Amino acid sequence: MKRPTPALGATSFEDAREGDGWRTLAEDVLDGLTRPFKELPPKYAYDSRGSALFDRICELPEYYPTRTERSILERAAGELIAATGASELVELGSGSATKTRLLLDAMAAADTLQRFVAVDVTERAVRESAAELTREYPGLQVHGLIGDFERHLDRLPPATGPRLLAFLGGTIGNFAPASRQRFLGTIAGLLSDRDHLLLGTDLVKDRATLEAAYDDSDGISAEFNRNILLVINRELGANFDPAGFQHVARFDAENERMDIRLRAREAQEVVLPAIDLTVRFAAGEELRTEISSKFTRERVAAELSAAGLALAAWHTDENDWFALSLARPASV
Ligand code: AVJ
């Protein structure tokens, strides 16, 4: 006998990378490795191995940001959602969407929850979290946008109601200052008067705590850092020897950011056939793989304001280690 279909929320996907994923990696690597101070963008580190390593980092005792942000959300989600009246949550870099549930729960409790839009470069993360969330929240609409939030935000579907755009984890800290300001401006341009931004930022703190978070005793952070070399080997047919590079994670106090690098243990030459490039590293030469900026309330408020946004609420933990900022378009 045929049973009536239960009311299921609809799921849809869009792959915004089609056709351009490879070219972007190739262009960025070519650009980064031909500079006098070599640099690679951190976003390519998140292939399936890199994502799994990052998930392990989040569980490390030294890596406080994830659990601290979660604790803030556990306490403040209800208040945040009440302040926004949001019916849809858009999450940039949603990953495995663990913190997402705290917001969705608060929206469900407020009886406003309609849709979740996940944006992430990791296709598997988008598809799996969409499937799980559809099961966990009956009636929820889920849209998965597989793509790079730096390039594909024009592919976001139109809002179905007041929208909360969440950019969590402190990922904004990975942007260089100028692109960070540009990105905040792009986000501001996406928000209507009834929408809000929820921004997670790691905060300035003592050097020892910061450096341990990016150089744990199990060596997972080091392994994660070297993973970018494996990605480049696979995608560009290169021959990086990950063991030939040492993980370096330093707090740059002047710029208030972690500066994460790979230091060549000895002189070496690396061939990248797909981009027709041979790069030489001197012994001890450092390749920057990531910056992770640390913020103060004043800086967050100032940068939001410069982007046309106003800080509406600031939530932090008892140690002031991490902050969640709620912002909305500044009234003109
Ligand atoms: C995911 C960008 C927030 O900067 O703390 C963790 C990435 N890199 N350990 C961070 C990361 C090394 C992380 N973000």
Side-chain angles (χ1 to χ4, degrees):
M1 205 180 82
K2 222 175 155 189
R3 273 178 285 164
T5 325
L8 277 181
T11 310
S12 52
F13 294 98
E14 181 180 354
D15 192 338
R17 305 161 308 170
E18 257 140 38
D20 73 359
W22 181 87
R23 183 182 303 143
T24 309
L25 168 84
E27 284 171 356
D28 287 350
V29 170
L30 178 62
D31 175 47
L33 292 184
T34 52
R35 294 186 197 169
F37 171 30
K38 299 183 180 69
E39 192 164 10
L40 290 170
K43 64 185 172 193
Y44 301 114
Y46 297 84
D47 64 345
S48 59
R49 180 171 182 270
S51 299
L53 284 168
F54 179 64
D55 286 347
R56 284 177 68 190
I57 288 176
C58 293
E59 304 290 320
L60 292 170
E62 293 97 333
Y63 193 74
Y64 62 84
T66 309
R67 89 178 66 89
T68 306
E69 185 180 47
R70 194 189 305 126
S71 79
I72 301 169
L73 269 179
E74 274 162 4
R75 205 169 22 77
E79 197 180 319
L80 285 165
I81 293 304
T84 65
S87 69
E88 79 172 41
L89 174 65
V90 178
E91 188 176 5
L92 308 184
S94 45
S96 46
T98 23
K99 286 169 284 195
T100 312
R101 287 170 173 81
L102 295 167
L103 290 166
L104 293 179
D105 286 345
M107 291 164 80
D111 217 18
T112 55
L113 179 63
Q114 281 185 14
R115 183 165 74 164
F116 174 57
V117 180
V119 184
D120 203 283
V121 271
T122 308
E123 173 164 12
R124 228 179 79 195
V126 174
R127 294 196 184 273
E128 283 173 7
S129 62
E132 284 167 18
L133 294 171
T134 314
R135 245 181 283 122
E136 289 168 37
Y137 298 85
L140 179 69
Q141 298 171 44
V142 179
H143 180 74
L145 177 58
I146 300 154
D148 178 348
F149 50 66
E150 278 190 79
R151 316 177 53 228
H152 298 128
L153 288 187
D154 55 329
R155 309 287 268 274
L156 279 176
T160 55
R163 183 177 254 183
L164 178 60
L165 199 151
F167 191 30
L168 303 177
T171 304
I172 185 91
N174 279 170
F175 288 80
S179 16
R180 182 167 80 221
Q181 200 58 60
R182 223 180 306 121
F183 187 67
L184 286 175
T186 303
I187 286 180
L190 291 171
L191 301 182
S192 75
D193 285 342
R194 59 183 187 171
D195 298 336
H196 288 80
L197 165 68
L198 182 63
L199 182 67
T201 50
D202 197 9
L203 301 180
V204 173
K205 59 185 64 60
D206 67 280
R207 172 183 298 276
T209 302
L210 284 167
E211 291 184 346
Y214 292 86
D215 193 4
D216 61 278
S217 53
D218 287 348
I220 313 292
S221 302
E223 219 31 50
F224 174 73
N225 192 13
R226 290 189 197 97
N227 188 58
I228 184 71
L229 303 180
L230 298 178
V231 171
I232 293 172
N233 284 352
R234 185 183 61 234
E235 299 297 321
L236 302 177
N239 64 346
F240 272 108
D241 170 20
F245 291 85
Q246 186 195 348
H247 172 64
V248 180
R250 275 184 304 245
F251 181 52
D252 170 353
E254 197 179 327
N255 292 300
E256 298 185 322
R257 66 195 188 195
M258 284 301 301
D259 189 320
I260 300 162
R261 302 181 183 189
L262 288 169
R263 182 192 291 141
R265 296 186 199 273
E266 32 200 87
Q268 50 199 289
E269 201 173 89
V270 180
V271 186
L272 300 92
I275 51 173
D276 209 8
L277 179 72
T278 300
V279 257
R280 281 168 201 89
F281 288 87
E285 183 176 346
E286 294 179 359
L287 159 67
R288 181 152 76 197
T289 48
E290 186 175 20
I291 60 163
S292 187
S293 296
K294 307 306 165 189
F295 295 82
T296 58
R297 181 182 177 145
E298 294 66 35
R299 179 174 289 275
V300 172
E303 293 191 4
L304 287 171
S305 164
L309 297 168
L311 184 61
W314 170 266
H315 294 271
T316 183
D317 55 291
E318 60 203 6
N319 299 316
D320 266 326
W321 273 7
F322 197 95
L324 282 176
S325 297
L326 186 67
R328 60 167 115 76
S331 34
V332 273

